[in-house]
Amino acid sequence: MLKAKNAASGSPTRRRVLIAGAGIGLTTLTACTRDAEPPEDARGPGFHGLRQAGVTTPRQATVLLLSYDLDPGLRGAAGARALKAVFAAWTDALARTTESDASRAARLTATLGIGPGLPARLGLRAPAALRELPPFTGDRLDPAGSGGDVLVQLCADSTDTTEAAGETLTRLAGDALHPRWRQDGFLPPASDGGAPRDLLGFRDGPAGLTPEECERWVWSGNATCLVVRRVHLRIEDFARLAERRQEEIVGRRRSTGGPLDGGPGNATAGSAGPGLPSGTARDAHGAPARSHVRAVDPALDGGARMLRRAYSYADSPTDQGMLFLAFMRDPALFARVQRRMAAQDELSGFMETRGSAVAYVLPGARPGRPLGADLLG
């Protein structure tokens, strides 16, 4: 997945040129509609709040994911103390950085989570929902570009802003955390001013969740879980298909993003993009049985939803695709959807997941209570 890149390396090359002029944008709109940010009593002003930013926050133009491993020599109480010191330093630095005028202008957010293997090494009880994802049919994962003990999502409207924040975090990690992998992604603007398109050329439907749905399906108290998947797309192979065949595979109209039975694009509640579970039973209108829309219909999971923040990535002319990010109470939901996709979704034939990670997104920081305080004491 997340091409195993040293998180301390220099800024990545600007990759938008690889897809410029292709008439394709990116999958996914996401935020809890009517109230994109948590309420003031949950978020608090600036960086501090009961919940971390970067979950329900409307997507910024770019993302930088950083994965770290705890030094192998740090275990038990000593490891917990070392990690507590790093998280305290990160909290102070992020509070200053995100609340600066430049970062506010760039809408910088930082979201911190821990991986499934970390609590056991520190002698701590893991959150119930935090566990490794099972293997999935069709995955071709790069172990060096997957997983990690600590995962950071940095989002902003400027790559310079996320890069600078990432360099600060890596420096402050010292010898306690070692960079494992990094991956950047971007959200190209819609050329026609409408809903963005994914790299396969389909519009993304209005898939935002309501605040009530976020409380039910995303937040568990003030925490949540994040699933990350780096999905390589066979863009050229898909482009060779006739448009009608593409629409049958996706289950949506290419031109409008609307259902195949003729409804308007804004009448649906789901995504036309690859591997992006969302929507309602209405998504199945006119969609073939083996279409993507059918496979990811939340009606098959009792209406359970996940909040998506997907981005595009383009690491080279031959490696482009989707950086799938989704927040949910329990990653078991993602596992169920992924199994259905492998079994019945024709779009899966044009996708290959090359990296994967899951993290427990910690409650937010409060004055005198840095990130991780509830976990590390």
Side-chain angles (χ1 to χ4, degrees):
M1 134 185 191
L2 316 166
K3 294 271 185 185
K5 304 171 186 173
N6 189 325
S9 64
S11 298
T13 56
R14 298 300 183 256
R15 297 168 178 135
R16 291 176 181 77
V17 67
L18 296 175
I19 61 170
I24 50 182
L26 176 93
T27 54
T28 347
L29 160 75
T30 45
C32 290
T33 55
R34 303 202 317 271
D35 189 8
E37 293 280 2
E40 184 74 7
D41 60 350
R43 268 292 313 129
F47 176 76
H48 292 99
L50 298 181
R51 294 170 176 174
Q52 293 193 63
V55 179
T56 60
T57 309
R59 278 183 309 167
Q60 300 94 319
T62 66
V63 65
L64 175 61
L65 291 174
L66 301 173
S67 175
Y68 301 86
D69 283 334
L70 186 68
D71 184 274
L74 293 173
R75 302 182 68 87
R81 287 193 298 270
L83 191 61
K84 183 177 180 179
V86 171
F87 283 1
W90 280 6
T91 298
D92 290 342
L94 290 170
R96 291 192 302 270
T97 300
T98 58
E99 294 172 12
S100 70
D101 290 341
S103 293
R104 283 182 179 272
R107 297 194 299 144
L108 173 66
T109 58
T111 312
L112 173 67
I114 61 169
L118 182 63
R121 285 200 292 280
L122 300 180
L124 303 173
R125 178 179 296 180
L130 181 61
R131 51 190 174 276
E132 298 286 358
L133 292 173
F136 298 113
T137 301
D139 282 4
R140 197 182 76 182
L141 303 182
D142 173 12
S146 300
D149 291 328
V150 175
L151 184 67
V152 180
Q153 172 195 267
L154 297 170
C155 295
D157 289 327
S158 161
T159 55
D160 291 339
T161 301
T162 56
E163 286 294 326
E167 290 172 2
T168 297
L169 296 183
T170 298
R171 174 177 55 80
L172 292 174
D175 295 328
L177 294 176
H178 302 293
R180 181 178 178 90
W181 54 258
R182 61 174 288 149
Q183 178 68 46
D184 62 325
F186 57 91
L187 178 62
S191 59
D192 57 3
R197 293 181 182 272
D198 59 41
L199 293 184
L200 298 181
F202 278 75
R203 290 188 184 275
D204 181 40
L209 305 188
T210 67
E212 294 78 13
E213 288 172 327
C214 281
E215 291 299 324
R216 181 176 183 183
W217 303 117
V218 177
W219 294 110
S220 179
N222 294 317
T224 184
C225 289
L226 169 62
V227 171
V228 178
R229 305 276 282 177
R230 180 175 179 272
V231 183
H232 171 80
L233 297 176
R234 291 170 49 203
I235 298 171
E236 293 184 359
D237 291 342
F238 190 81
R240 293 189 186 100
L241 302 177
E243 181 172 316
R244 181 58 182 173
R245 179 60 181 141
Q246 293 179 1
E247 292 177 336
E248 291 174 348
I249 292 173
V250 172
R252 292 293 181 84
R253 294 291 184 193
R254 183 184 174 103
S255 58
T256 66
L260 295 182
D261 64 2
N266 61 7
T268 63
S271 166
L276 304 177
S278 183
T280 70
R282 290 178 293 166
D283 286 342
H285 281 190
R290 294 182 58 79
S291 67
H292 175 69
V293 162
R294 290 270 189 172
V296 304
D297 192 336
L300 300 176
D301 287 293
R305 308 288 296 275
M306 58 184 81
L307 182 63
R308 304 169 291 111
R309 284 179 61 87
Y311 286 83
S312 287
Y313 80 87
D315 286 348
S316 74
T318 58
D319 186 13
Q320 303 179 37
M322 175 184 61
L323 185 55
F324 173 81
L325 312 175
F327 296 90
M328 66 209 75
R329 277 185 171 230
D330 189 341
L333 169 61
F334 175 82
R336 294 195 299 271
V337 175
Q338 187 66 31
R339 289 191 187 100
R340 286 202 304 271
M341 288 178 58
Q344 68 188 63
D345 185 357
E346 286 191 296
L347 189 59
S348 293
F350 298 89
M351 303 161 59
E352 181 180 76
T353 300
R354 297 182 175 179
S356 182
V358 62
Y360 175 78
V361 177
L362 300 165
R366 284 92 74 198
R369 297 280 292 175
L371 290 169
D374 295 338
L375 176 73
L376 301 172

